[in-house]
Amino acid sequence: MKNLYLKALKAYLEMLEIHIDTKTSDLVFHEKTWDFYEKLFEIAHSIWERYVDLDWKLRDDSLDLKKQKSLEILKSLLKDIEDFWENNKLSYGTDDLLWWIADDLEDLIWTAKWFNK
């Protein structure tokens, strides 16, 4: 099942890339691929949850929230976004997008901190 999960996750990522790349070239296909990548994520997620239902684990740290480093993953992404933000001349739209992402990441970081306590 682990291989099925990894293949489904890879298919999801590839379809997501196709979806994003067709935004300006084929609007009809772009809109339809939203359904494709959403369904592929659901498939990957369902496979892995069934795997866990059968008492298998993807990660060795699945029972230790601090070892999982979810807080560090979020902080690292926020720092990279802030660094990109500071080191590039951005359009207003890109600036707005990064503000929105940073705000969402800060919310996630606070939630992760709560779980780590």
Side-chain angles (χ1 to χ4, degrees):
M1 283 189 87
K2 189 172 185 177
N3 285 338
L4 290 176
Y5 163 74
L6 293 173
K7 285 185 178 196
L9 190 59
K10 184 176 187 233
Y12 159 75
L13 290 172
E14 288 184 42
M15 189 57 66
L16 179 62
E17 289 173 354
I18 290 167
H19 168 76
I20 293 168
D21 278 349
T22 60
K23 182 178 182 199
T24 59
S25 62
D26 189 336
L27 186 58
V28 174
F29 185 69
H30 173 74
E31 290 176 0
K32 192 59 191 168
T33 57
W34 178 299
D35 297 336
F36 296 172
Y37 80 78
E38 289 283 328
K39 182 55 76 173
L40 288 167
F41 177 81
E42 182 182 321
I43 290 167
H45 185 255
S46 296
I47 289 170
W48 202 256
E49 284 200 341
R50 180 64 183 148
Y51 190 72
V52 170
D53 290 344
L54 297 172
D55 288 330
W56 293 91
K57 301 285 183 230
L58 178 61
R59 303 173 57 101
D60 293 331
D61 59 4
S62 60
L63 297 177
D64 188 335
L65 293 175
K66 290 186 180 187
K67 282 186 183 176
Q68 287 179 359
K69 303 200 182 308
S70 58
L71 183 58
E72 287 80 10
I73 292 166
L74 297 169
K75 284 181 171 180
S76 176
L77 179 56
L78 179 59
K79 183 182 179 336
D80 289 347
I81 287 171
E82 289 171 339
D83 289 347
F84 180 83
W85 204 344
E86 291 174 10
N87 296 316
N88 292 281
K89 184 174 169 76
L90 305 172
S91 68
Y92 292 122
T94 303
D95 188 67
D96 285 347
L97 173 69
L98 294 179
W99 270 104
W100 169 74
I101 291 170
D103 187 53
D104 282 351
L105 283 169
E106 286 177 352
D107 287 345
L108 294 173
I109 287 167
W110 282 107
T111 301
K113 284 181 179 180
W114 182 84
F115 277 106
N116 279 321
K117 290 185 178 181

